[in-house]
Amino acid sequence: CAPDPASLIKKKDIAVGIPRCFSFYTLWPLYAWFFHSLGVQTIVSEEIVHEGTARVESNYCFPAEIAHGAVQDIFNRHCDYIFLPHFRDMESYENNAPASFCPITQSLPYYIKKAFPEIPEENILSPVVSFMYGTEKAAEPFIAMGLRLGFSEAEAKEAFDVAYKKQVECFDQFSNLGRRALAEARLLKRPVIAILGRPYNSFTTDANMGIPRKYTSRGYAVIPYDILPFEDQPIYPNMYWYYGQQNMKAASLLKNEDNIFITYITNFSCAPDSFMLHYLKWIMGVKPFLILEMDSHTADAGIDTRIEAFLDIIEGYRSKLHELKEDRYDNHLRFVNDPDQEIHIRND
């Protein structure tokens, strides 16, 4: 869904470097088409440079470490500008809650500036990206960025309109692909694995340790959660994280899909996941799922072992599926429905 770099008609002799991290994996069509429509060359990071990850000044999560390494790669390429958006929120799936991003994602430009003091402030482009108040409001920081690059307001507004349209088309393609994947998964005889987490830790080889390939190499189909048709699924109230809404809605959808099983990729020090994983357990009940918590020190052999064990558990569950009934657990108390539909509580 991104533009072909070969089709760029340069209007300014400048290059904007874009590190592959965080919102890159959600809004790349928007970012790419904005600069492409302006006639500005973009250079995307290609590797995670150790010199950059060594600059980490706090106990950040693994994706934040990756961000430092990606910025170092861009810095080494001597671009005119580095694009580090303050990615604040998206349009919410819920009527009574925002759809925010975690503080580490939002604060990317600020801790990168501290970790890379040699990058001049004027060389950093850090628009505050927010879609909570509609597209007109969302366009304002992009228009300001266009003005800063030497374009007119009309040129920047037109570039944003093109970019936003392309981003919506991308999401529409996601939805079409997800509906087809869901229909096909229901017909397969072998279980299908849905990967939950975040695009920047679940769908990129920089962070996911090849987990999707570990399934596909064993003959299992894989579906990324963000293409699934989960929009109308009910979830726990006041879920104010954007990726939290997506993951919980996906889990609610997949709980009732007998042939699709969840692998949730998370990272140490992820505050939102510290409670979302509890929600996931409550949603799934007795249906098995796998949580893989990783950082830069996670061993590949351990991941392989857990995946093999999870696939064995799935086969055992499927063989006894007709015998199982819905259970819920809460602090060692099991809630059991008796024939008269009265709820009794007993200690297990």
Side-chain angles (χ1 to χ4, degrees), residues 7 13 44 76 100 149 184 240-241 294 321:
S7 67
D13 190 23
V44 178
N76 293 347
S100 301
L149 294 175
E184 292 177 0
Y240 49 82
W241 305 114
M294 300 184 299
L321 186 59

Side-chain angles (χ1 to χ4, degrees), residues 91-104:
E91 184 179 357
S92 180
Y93 292 92
E94 300 288 276
N95 293 327
N96 57 354
S100 301
F101 291 90
C102 77
I104 302 301

Side-chain angles (χ1 to χ4, degrees), residues 92-148:
S92 180
Y93 292 92
E94 300 288 276
N95 293 327
N96 57 354
S100 301
F101 291 90
C102 77
I104 302 301
T105 299
Q106 291 198 42
S107 57
L108 170 68
Y110 312 111
Y111 56 74
I112 290 296
K113 290 176 185 178
K114 294 298 183 182
F116 293 82
E118 65 270 41
I119 300 178
E121 181 85 20
E122 60 270 18
N123 289 6
I124 296 177
L125 302 174
S126 53
V128 179
V129 181
S130 171
F131 287 91
M132 186 167 63
Y133 303 106
T135 55
E136 286 192 17
K137 196 69 176 176
E140 292 178 1
F142 286 89
I143 293 172
M145 186 166 56
L147 292 171
R148 184 174 167 189

